[in-house]
Amino acid sequence: MKWTTTILFVFAGVAFGIVSAEVIPIHDCGSKAGTITQIDVTPCSTIPCPFKRNTNVSVTITFTANQEITEAVTSVHGIIAGVPVPFPLPDPNACHFMTCPIASGATGLYKNAIFVQQVYPKITLLVKYELVASDSTDAVCFTVPATIVD
């Protein structure tokens, strides 16, 4: 079943002075062990989200666990021409970016940042972001269109 949730985007000014939010549609791509309640991808003010090379993209996911989650792995892919290309992560252990275990019915809060390397080509792609539970079930799975820019 397709459904859309919202992403809230926050742009912080130099001294935390400027804050604005935009609602951007994303696609849940099969969350089973969790239900997404909020996703924040920063920076992202338009679709496709502009991911600037040599900077970090922050991802914050709030979700409700549909089952106990004792362990999870972060998996990120760029889908280019329908082909998923894995995005290398220095630490794929999702529990280093959220508190584990998460009891069924409890709220999980995942916060991570991914560095967009200078060597990445300037391309438009679909980013697939997953938190995979220890039983290989997607706790959280969403996609968002993005473009790599200078």
Side-chain angles (χ1 to χ4, degrees):
M1 170 171 71
K2 279 187 160 181
W3 60 275
T4 303
T5 187
T6 59
I7 301 176
L8 295 177
F9 299 93
V10 177
F11 301 93
V14 174
F16 308 105
I18 304 169
V19 177
S20 68
E22 304 234 2
V23 176
I24 303 294
I26 60 118
H27 176 262
D28 185 301
C29 55
S31 302
K32 300 268 188 264
T35 300
I36 299 170
T37 53
Q38 182 177 337
I39 297 176
D40 178 12
V41 178
T42 304
C44 185
S45 59
T46 61
I47 291 293
C49 294
F51 291 169
K52 187 174 178 183
R53 296 193 291 188
N54 276 337
T55 65
N56 284 317
V57 173
S58 298
V59 177
T60 302
I61 306 167
T62 306
F63 63 98
T64 302
N66 297 332
Q67 66 184 46
E68 182 179 40
I69 300 171
T70 57
E71 298 175 357
V73 175
T74 304
S75 174
V76 180
H77 288 80
I79 301 175
I80 304 166
V83 177
V85 178
F87 186 91
L89 299 172
D91 184 2
N93 186 338
C95 291
H96 292 164
F97 304 97
M98 64 183 183
T99 302
C100 291
I102 303 169
S104 181
T107 298
L109 179 63
Y110 172 91
K111 291 183 179 186
N112 200 348
I114 296 181
F115 185 69
V116 181
Q117 297 182 26
Q118 181 65 36
V119 297
Y120 294 165
K122 291 192 283 184
I123 189 172
T124 298
L125 67 157
L126 188 65
V127 175
K128 182 178 182 181
Y129 207 102
E130 299 170 277
L131 302 182
V132 183
S134 57
D135 65 356
S136 298
T137 304
D138 277 341
V140 171
C141 181
F142 72 91
T143 59
V144 63
T147 188
I148 308 296
V149 298
D150 277 330

